[in-house]
Amino acid sequence: MRGLVGGLMRARWALRSARSWLRVRYVWLKPRPGDIYIATAAKAGTTWMQQIVFQLIHEGRGEFEHILQVSPFLEQFGTKPQAEQVLARLPSPRIFKTHLSHGLLRPPANSRVIYVTRAASDTLVSYYHHVCRAHGAHLDFDQFFQREMKNRGWSSHLRSWWPNRRAPNVLHVRYEDLVTDRERELRRVATFLALPLPPERLPDILEKTSFEYMKRHNARFAPPMPGGLSAEGFIREGKVGSGRDALDAGQQVLLERTLAPLFRELGITGNEV
């Protein structure tokens, strides 16, 4: 009986969430030509790309108290009071952060989508630290890892977006490329968004999109935490490969076994993700 009740509660929550999102997408959003969607799995470089896009638009002069004021989290509008008015007041081009699947987001053809991917192991470990902060406690990593392998959130997002990465209004950016050659990736994003990139403004853009700058201004980027918990350290490492180093041999094998059939299905080889 307890399982049945739990199942009914989850189904009711899922239905309510779906209804909220449909209201946002098809009633309140009122898509505009040039809307920009930053589509990622959780902890795959979303905040970094929000800052990159905002600074490119404002040529390195962009200022805000919090990143969500200028680049809101689209899914949160389902529970926001006066969401329709807030969406209407955002200046164009609007910049939205989203973790939705491609099928749920259904980005209009006249929008621009920047799809960022990050290695599963790095994303997973970053998400683990985020969840620990949200709970205000150090959680057992192996229990977290096993649960995420069953949930397959990263895999589901990849399966949804990967076949659409070459659509005319989608730009695929790898997190690793942002780390190794940020200036080159800034130029790719600017070209895709048809934004000027004046040479004299490039140093300021590079400064404000650096990991060091964002870490110094952590409070401007950290999401609100429940119960007044501190979000100190939200901008944590930003490294490539540290996630894999955090996995033991058994966890690495399980991750590879989980991802191998997905990569075969999607035709992913080498370091494409």
Side-chain angles (χ1 to χ4, degrees):
M1 179 61 73
R2 184 178 300 172
L4 177 61
V5 172
L8 289 172
M9 290 179 65
R10 287 192 294 273
R12 189 177 301 151
W13 178 86
L15 182 61
R16 187 164 56 244
S17 297
R19 190 164 53 239
S20 295
W21 165 242
L22 289 171
R23 184 172 59 235
V24 171
R25 174 64 179 83
Y26 294 102
V27 180
W28 292 346
L29 181 59
K30 297 178 179 62
R32 303 174 192 165
D35 279 345
I36 300 167
Y37 301 95
I38 296 168
T40 71
K43 304 305 295 179
T46 326
T47 307
W48 197 3
M49 186 53 69
Q50 287 173 279
Q51 174 71 341
I52 287 171
V53 171
F54 186 72
Q55 295 304 332
L56 283 172
I57 290 172
H58 294 276
E59 298 184 350
R61 300 185 181 95
E63 296 293 342
F64 47 80
E65 292 181 8
H66 197 278
I67 188 71
L68 292 178
Q69 295 171 330
V70 296
S71 175
F73 189 10
L74 195 55
E75 290 90 298
Q76 290 183 343
F77 279 107
T79 58
K80 275 184 178 288
Q82 299 181 319
E84 188 172 13
Q85 294 90 329
V86 173
L87 285 163
R89 285 197 299 266
L90 289 171
S92 293
R94 297 183 297 185
I95 310 166
F96 296 116
K97 154 189 171 176
T98 181
H99 299 319
L100 289 171
S101 68
H102 185 275
L104 278 175
L105 180 62
R106 293 185 179 275
N110 61 6
S111 67
R112 289 292 177 264
V113 181
I114 302 176
Y115 168 48
V116 186
T117 57
R118 186 182 187 185
S121 53
D122 287 347
T123 304
L124 185 73
V125 171
S126 182
Y127 187 46
Y128 164 74
H129 287 285
H130 176 73
V131 172
C132 285
R133 279 190 299 274
H135 284 79
H138 181 80
L139 306 178
D140 181 271
F141 178 72
D142 190 60
Q143 290 181 5
F144 172 86
F145 176 84
Q146 298 295 335
R147 184 173 65 249
E148 289 303 306
M149 289 298 96
K150 291 178 182 177
N151 292 342
R152 302 196 177 198
W154 186 92
S155 300
S156 297
H157 194 273
L158 187 72
R159 179 178 282 109
S160 166
W161 277 97
W162 190 256
N164 298 283
R165 73 194 184 283
R166 293 194 176 119
N169 67 330
V170 176
L171 177 69
H172 174 216
V173 177
R174 296 168 67 243
Y175 187 97
E176 184 174 348
D177 291 336
L178 282 174
V179 172
T180 56
D181 195 339
R182 182 159 39 94
E183 181 177 337
R184 181 191 64 202
E185 296 305 298
L186 288 176
R187 293 183 183 279
R188 285 185 67 222
V189 173
T191 298
F192 174 70
L193 297 177
L195 294 171
L197 189 55
E200 68 275 13
R201 300 305 310 156
L202 184 59
D204 284 341
I205 296 171
L206 286 170
E207 162 63 16
K208 285 195 172 178
T209 60
S210 69
F211 189 79
E212 294 75 18
Y213 176 91
M214 294 178 67
K215 195 173 181 67
R216 288 199 307 271
H217 299 91
N218 182 81
R220 299 182 189 178
F221 302 99
M225 287 294 178
L229 291 171
S230 172
E232 188 65 33
F234 172 73
I235 306 295
R236 197 174 60 87
E237 285 187 350
K239 294 180 180 178
V240 171
S242 58
R244 186 170 182 81
D245 294 339
L247 305 183
D248 64 29
Q251 291 163 348
Q252 289 182 16
V253 168
L254 178 56
L255 181 62
E256 289 170 4
R257 285 178 178 170
T258 301
L259 296 182
L262 174 65
F263 282 13
R264 285 196 300 271
E265 172 193 333
L266 298 175
I268 296 173
T269 58
N271 296 319
E272 289 184 292
V273 176

